[in-house]
Amino acid sequence: MKRNLVIATVAAAALIGGGTATAFATGGDDDSAAAESSVQPKDSDRKDDDGKDDDRDDAAENTAEAKAAEVTAADAIKAALADTSGTAVSAELDDEDGGLVWDVDILKGSTWHGVEVDAGTGKVLGSWVDKDDDGDDAADAARVNSALKGASTSAADAARAAAGKGTVTSVDLDDDGKAGVWDVETTGAKGAEADWHVGLTNDKVTADRSDTHDDRDDHDDADDDGSDD
């Protein structure tokens, strides 16, 4: 479950002259950490004559980001957990202001934490306590903790299991259904995206059929629009 959060407190510690300096900030997304990323994927956005990106442009961008990320999802989660203890609930490869990072959500008890990891070096760029602007952190935490009760497959395990399907670009707990699973997104060598399910009690990887169905519906809608012209 990816969380859309307002960062309440950002805590970054740096060793300066033998001492420890801690900086705090409030507001929206923390862009300063992303600016420090060692990876800046090439801008692959190209426009059609009508000014819109086509599928090939999206595929090229996906490929560029997947190839640029030298740190895997599993390794990014490991680095995040070394910085902030708890349970990793999601990890997503993200291009923020030209810097490629892994955004990792960690739950410890009923407290949510966000950790940004450099996609090139595995270095933690920033970590903070997250608070949902809707004020339902406790409910989210309870639902996630319930879904993960008895689980033997972690987010990192799910990422490793799905790595054979392509480059993993996101791992996310799906706790909405009756049978919780890890949702994993991969990007193929030519930029094609695919979605997979990995069980919470095993590392079996299955295709996300609901995503396939949605893609088919989108294709049908596009055909219908084209036939009206």
Side-chain angles (χ1 to χ4, degrees), residues 1 3 87-89 107 109 112 137-149 173 175 182 200:
M1 53 166 295
R3 286 164 55 82
T87 301
V89 178
L107 178 61
W112 291 92
D137 292 294
D140 286 344
R143 187 171 66 254
V144 168
N145 285 325
S146 177
L148 291 175
K149 186 177 181 179
L173 177 65
D175 63 334
W182 292 106
L200 297 180

Side-chain angles (χ1 to χ4, degrees), residues 174-180:
D174 179 3
D175 63 334
D176 294 332
K178 293 182 179 179

Side-chain angles (χ1 to χ4, degrees), residues 132-168:
D132 195 334
D133 55 354
D134 292 332
D136 55 359
D137 292 294
D140 286 344
R143 187 171 66 254
V144 168
N145 285 325
S146 177
L148 291 175
K149 186 177 181 179
S152 56
T153 303
S154 67
D157 293 334
R160 282 188 287 266
K165 304 296 185 180
T167 300
V168 175

Side-chain angles (χ1 to χ4, degrees), residues 101-198:
V101 299
W102 284 100
D103 289 323
V104 183
D105 286 334
I106 294 175
L107 178 61
K108 184 176 182 179
S110 59
T111 303
W112 291 92
H113 301 265
V115 181
E116 245 180 24
V117 179
D118 190 318
T121 65
K123 176 183 177 181
V124 172
L125 300 176
S127 58
W128 55 88
V129 173
D130 276 334
K131 291 187 178 180
D132 195 334
D133 55 354
D134 292 332
D136 55 359
D137 292 294
D140 286 344
R143 187 171 66 254
V144 168
N145 285 325
S146 177
L148 291 175
K149 186 177 181 179
S152 56
T153 303
S154 67
D157 293 334
R160 282 188 287 266
K165 304 296 185 180
T167 300
V168 175
T169 54
S170 75
V171 183
D172 184 28
L173 177 65
D174 179 3
D175 63 334
D176 294 332
K178 293 182 179 179
V181 294
W182 292 106
D183 285 334
V184 184
E185 185 174 283
T186 62
T187 296
K190 296 183 179 180
E193 293 183 334
D195 293 281
W196 311 90
H197 286 163
V198 179

Side-chain angles (χ1 to χ4, degrees), residues 46-99:
R46 296 184 301 275
K47 302 294 182 179
D48 289 333
D49 293 338
D50 60 2
K52 296 181 180 179
D53 291 341
D54 62 13
D55 291 339
R56 287 173 296 179
D57 297 333
D58 292 337
E61 184 174 358
N62 294 339
T63 302
E65 291 184 1
K67 287 183 176 180
E70 299 179 17
V71 176
T72 66
D75 287 341
I77 292 169
K78 180 180 178 180
L81 290 173
D83 176 85
T84 304
S85 62
T87 301
V89 178
S90 71
E92 182 175 17
L93 188 62
D94 194 13
D95 183 351
E96 295 186 5
D97 291 344

